[in-house]
Amino acid sequence: MRVRRGVTPALLLLLVAGLLPAAPRGASAQQPAFEVIKVAQLDSLLRKGTKVQIVDVRSRQEYLTRHIKGATSIPLDTIDLRAGEIPRQGLVVLY
């Protein structure tokens, strides 16, 4: 699946909670590890066949206008209420 640059911002948040053997030094065991990635990095992961859960945190209207195929819509203003819908294992990309 090719990621179209017009759909996403230049940077994406990649959550890798559950993949890391332990929390990074100085981080709480309760906090998931994360890093900011570029669109090209997500595109590369998808081209390699890496299983990635994509969460679109824009408004529902923006999601309905255009989104990455297979992305789940969880608007940022509802993320606290719907956090349980985000997988705790594997790669999760929020954009």
Side-chain angles (χ1 to χ4, degrees):
M1 171 192 318
R2 180 128 176 96
V3 177
R4 293 189 299 213
R5 291 183 187 272
V7 176
T8 60
L11 299 175
L12 302 166
L13 183 63
L14 174 64
L15 296 177
V16 290
L19 286 184
L20 301 177
R25 198 176 306 208
S28 165
Q30 299 295 317
Q31 295 176 330
F34 69 92
E35 67 180 277
V36 177
I37 65 169
K38 295 183 182 217
V39 172
Q41 289 171 285
L42 175 59
D43 191 44
S44 177
L45 287 170
L46 295 173
R47 285 177 181 272
K48 290 178 186 174
T50 304
K51 188 164 178 85
V52 178
Q53 173 65 42
I54 301 172
V55 179
D56 189 326
V57 298
R58 300 172 303 149
S59 72
R60 184 72 178 157
Q61 185 59 40
E62 290 172 306
Y63 174 84
L64 291 173
T65 300
R66 186 177 218 175
H67 60 272
I68 297 173
K69 185 178 178 181
T72 301
S73 175
I74 302 179
L76 193 55
D77 62 349
T78 66
I79 203 99
D80 287 345
L81 299 172
R82 297 180 60 194
E85 296 175 38
I86 301 172
R88 298 287 184 210
Q89 295 182 6
L91 298 177
V92 178
V93 175
L94 302 178
Y95 85 97

